[in-house]
Amino acid sequence: MPKKLPGSKDIPPAGVTWKPATEYRTGDWRSKRPIRDEEKCTRCLTCWIFCPDAAISWDGQDIHFDLNYCKGCGICAEECPVNCIEMEDE
Amino acid sequence: MSNMPAKQILMGINGDEAVAYAAKHALVDVCAAYPITPQTIIVEKFAEFVANGEVETEFVRVESEHSALSACLGASAAGARTFTASAANGIELMHEVIFLTSSIRQPVVMAVADRSPSGPINIHGDQTVSLAQRDTGWIMMYCENSQEAYDSTLQAFRIGEHPDVQLPVMTMLDGFVLTHTLENVYLLDETDAHKFVGRREPMMITIDGKQVPLKLDPKTPITIGPLQLFDYYMESKLQHSEAMEKARPVISQINNEWAELTGRKYGDGYLQPFKVNDADAVIVTSGSSAGTARFVTRQLRAQGKKVGLLKLRTFRPFPDKKLAKLLADVPVVGIFERTHTTGSLGGPLFNEIRSALYDHDPRPIILGYYGGLGGRDVTPEHFKSIYKELLKIKDTGKAPRYPIKYITVRK
């Protein structure tokens, strides 16, 4: 630790940080990413319901994968009723 | 507050029910609990209050104790006053979240019906499970009877939620001896109880130069419980220790406030000495055994024997200085604990009390006794035999070669 870090009196209790969790990008260790076939997709939103990390969003027209948070677990691909999601190696 | 104790209602209830009434009187916002074995009458009775509409608590039935405390932790982080209870193996399953709750500084109150850990499989009482939580960073209080269980549970909300403290509190009731035994218990009138316990106010913290509440609130978004590695982990541990130190005066202050309100006082909030001042031999114990030991102490005093009892009520923060002050001049001390530790020089009570006296000269000869394990009866005869041995050591000045003994065990 080369630079001097703040001491116990200078940091907030319980390790609290001042940003909401959405501002910390946590998807960088993913080894597989979801690829969706937009033709096949029926926009049923099953993937949106099942995503354990809220990395899939719905804007009223289409769905989007947010790869800043996707951990590549593949639950969306597993649950998709029309098999339109493939997991591809990063 | 007036000098006259408040009006109180006498009820014939067991220790579990006394705790349930305390949770009811504390206006708990959220209670999450695993509803079947090893759950207690505490949650059973509390669920009845919820079903009858007597409380407005959100009652969450979860699939395990691990989830029970996790749900409490989450609710507490959102600012709710939170309560749960469990026993024995249920507490052991919670162990991971017990650490989390205190390190995230959430003042959850949890009643522990102290039953023996399996195995061999056993459902009866001793304090091994709760004392195994001693390094989890919670405030820990042991109750002698059902009255104290009610009193301590209500006090626990005030202590844990105090702005200087913000730590979770465990209150312990000995399995069956307190949890399932009918006793006369005085309950406060609900309005007086509400006044005493107040509402939970979130702790204010400074981050990025701004004052924000330590709570999950979309208006002031923060992240609670993030990753802290070698760069910050130790600083957070130091903060946790400092919060525990700040709990010390608060525990005594709340104990005094309670005494003013109800007329009941538990020593200085930590230790309750009985005839310790001029004693030749003192027994230290905690929980329901203290009642039995006090009965014997009174009997032996009537026979002119100089014996005394020290009841340990608060185990965390550990009252090391107070203990040393009371015990340093006592010639012989026996520590009776309903705990079992294998491969160590005595149990947790023995270790910590003996260590607290190390710096004193002279210091007592200290012996440790394991007993009452797995629900085995702790009777007056046991304390008589311990006093007899302690007084003999005082007379001869000879300490036994090994200081730890099992009492009532068959060899």
Side-chain angles (χ1 to χ4, degrees), chain B residues 19-298:
Chain B
V19 171
Y21 275 104
K24 181 188 181 199
H25 291 178
L27 298 170
V28 168
D29 297 310
V30 175
C31 173
Y34 181 60
I36 62 164
T37 301
Q39 194 43 270
T40 60
I41 307 165
I42 300 171
V43 162
E44 190 184 318
K45 185 78 188 169
F46 193 74
E48 212 175 289
F49 294 144
V50 175
N52 291 346
E54 294 176 58
V55 288
E56 286 174 20
T57 310
E58 182 75 35
F59 189 84
V60 192
R61 277 158 297 185
V62 290
E63 75 282 14
S64 76
E65 286 83 0
H66 189 280
S67 303
L69 193 55
S70 298
C72 286
L73 172 53
S76 180
R81 177 172 283 164
T82 312
F83 171 79
T84 189
S86 190
N89 302 19
I91 300 294
E92 290 168 65
L93 185 55
M94 280 179 184
H95 191 61
E96 178 190 2
V97 195
I98 292 180
F99 272 105
L100 272 168
T101 309
S102 65
S103 74
I104 298 176
R105 306 282 298 277
Q106 294 305 326
V108 174
V109 172
M110 176 161 75
V112 177
D114 240 326
R115 285 157 42 181
S116 315
S118 298
I121 296 174
N122 183 301
I123 59 163
H124 291 282
D126 66 46
Q127 299 170 348
T128 306
V129 167
S130 63
L131 283 165
Q133 313 307 321
R134 66 187 178 274
D135 298 330
T136 58
W138 285 50
I139 292 167
M140 297 172 68
M141 300 171 99
Y142 284 83
C143 305
E144 181 184 332
N145 48 45
S146 301
Q147 181 69 66
E148 191 172 351
Y150 172 79
D151 297 354
S152 296
T153 307
L154 266 174
Q155 290 182 25
F157 289 98
R158 286 285 307 278
I159 296 165
E161 293 172 8
H162 192 282
D164 293 346
V165 183
Q166 297 283 313
L167 285 174
V169 186
M170 251 180 241
T171 54
M172 266 63 71
L173 309 77
D174 285 346
F176 291 89
V177 179
L178 299 188
T179 60
H180 290 65
T181 310
L182 201 68
E183 213 182 284
N184 283 342
V185 177
Y186 283 99
L187 304 182
L188 277 177
D189 187 75
E190 289 209 30
T191 354
D192 287 328
H194 298 167
K195 222 184 287 168
F196 171 81
V197 79
R199 300 301 303 181
R200 181 182 167 196
E201 294 294 334
M203 183 192 204
M204 295 304 287
I205 57 172
T206 311
I207 41 177
D208 217 15
K210 277 185 300 198
Q211 285 277 101
V212 300
L214 176 58
K215 109 180 198 185
L216 296 172
D217 186 342
K219 277 178 267 165
T220 48
I222 53 171
T223 301
I224 293 180
L227 186 74
Q228 279 180 289
L229 300 178
F230 43 77
D231 47 0
Y232 284 106
Y233 187 87
M234 281 187 73
E235 283 67 29
S236 281
K237 291 291 157 192
L238 180 61
Q239 283 182 337
H240 193 155
S241 279
E242 284 166 357
M244 191 59 97
E245 285 308 308
K246 285 181 185 162
R248 288 184 190 273
V250 174
I251 291 168
S252 296
Q253 175 212 322
I254 302 294
N255 180 54
N256 289 339
E257 269 186 45
W258 187 257
E260 253 183 66
L261 178 65
T262 65
R264 288 185 298 276
K265 195 171 179 179
Y266 299 98
D268 56 3
Y270 292 85
L271 295 161
Q272 256 183 296
F274 179 66
K275 312 251 181 223
V276 166
N277 274 347
D278 64 334
D280 287 335
V282 167
I283 289 179
V284 187
T285 191
S286 64
S288 61
S289 310
T292 314
R294 193 178 294 105
F295 169 77
V296 174
T297 309
R298 198 174 282 128

Side-chain angles (χ1 to χ4, degrees), chain A:
Chain A
M1 285 179 284
K3 70 172 188 226
K4 199 168 171 342
L5 294 170
S8 67
K9 291 197 173 25
D10 305 315
I11 58 172
V16 164
T17 51
W18 65 94
K19 288 177 186 170
T22 48
E23 290 182 41
Y24 299 97
R25 297 181 171 184
T26 51
D28 59 352
W29 45 270
R30 178 184 57 246
S31 63
K32 281 180 186 295
R33 66 164 65 198
I35 304 291
R36 181 175 60 114
D37 183 336
E38 290 179 24
E39 299 283 300
K40 255 193 191 175
C41 175
T42 62
R43 278 74 173 167
C44 69
L45 298 185
T46 304
C47 57
W48 176 77
I49 292 167
F50 274 90
C51 176
D53 207 334
I56 300 173
S57 59
W58 169 250
D59 63 7
Q61 300 288 324
D62 207 352
I63 62 159
H64 306 278
F65 293 107
D66 189 342
L67 295 178
N68 286 324
Y69 301 102
C70 172
K71 313 293 189 292
C73 71
I75 290 175
C76 53
E78 178 71 26
E79 297 296 335
C80 177
V82 295
N83 293 321
C84 78
I85 302 169
E86 290 288 327
M87 297 305 289
E88 197 174 81
D89 283 346
E90 282 290 340

